[in-house]
Each structure stands twice: as structure tokens, then as C-alpha cells.
Amino acid sequence: MTVAITFEYGIVIRRAALSRRSVALEAVLTALEIGAWLGEDPDLLSTGASFGQEACDGLIKRLEALSLIYFDDFVDLSFVHPSWLKFSATVEP
């Protein structure tokens, strides 16, 4: 399975990290100030675009405050690309 992602300061989170670190899904939604995911599957959750690097850095700090570890549990994505190109992600087995 794959999830939609954005390289406009998006964030991808491993679901397994939430249970491993005892972080409630609702706490993540609140920390990211979103009501719905850009993409979700049994392995991954992704958020839509943030408003620049500074905003994304703030979201990263909020996730770290929930005990999630950058790169092991989640990662931010930033990459310049044309609007006609869409991306997706999957977990490596």
C-alpha cells in the first residue's frame, strides 16, 4: 500500500512508532493542527503542505515533544517539483 505525500514541507509518520512510543493518534493530530491526513495506510500517515520551513520546524518540535524521534519515527519532506507531478510512499518490508 502507498500513501499520498507532498514535498511542500510535508511530514510522514510511521504508525508503528505511535504504538511503540505510546502516542495517541489524536495527540498527533492536535500537535499538527490538522483534522485529517493527506494520506494514510496501515503503515504510514502523511500530512499536507506546511507554510515554509519555519512552520515545518515547529511541527517537528511538537512531534518530538510527544516522544517521537526524527528520522526513526517520522520525517519531513521538502523538494521543489512541478505541480503536475504527484508522489506516494510505502514502507520498505
Side-chain angles (χ1 to χ4, degrees), residues 4-60:
I5 60 171
T6 179
F7 281 101
E8 298 172 304
Y9 305 103
I11 294 177
V12 178
I13 303 168
R14 294 172 57 196
R15 276 190 191 259
L18 300 180
S19 61
R20 184 173 58 250
R21 303 206 187 280
S22 300
V23 176
L25 189 58
E26 295 77 22
V28 177
L29 288 168
T30 299
L32 297 175
E33 297 181 359
I34 59 174
W37 299 103
L38 172 65
E40 61 181 306
D41 73 7
D43 298 313
L44 298 173
L45 302 162
S46 69
T47 66
S50 297
F51 296 103
Q53 188 63 55
E54 188 175 331
C56 189
D57 290 344
L59 297 175
I60 290 169

Side-chain angles (χ1 to χ4, degrees), residues 58-88:
L59 297 175
I60 290 169
K61 287 180 182 176
R62 291 178 185 184
L63 292 174
E64 290 175 330
L66 293 174
S67 301
L68 296 174
I69 298 173
Y70 183 80
F71 204 76
D72 288 339
D73 300 335
F74 71 95
V75 66
D76 65 317
L77 304 170
S78 177
F79 177 75
V80 177
H81 64 285
S83 61
W84 52 264
L85 190 57
K86 300 294 179 204
F87 298 90
S88 64

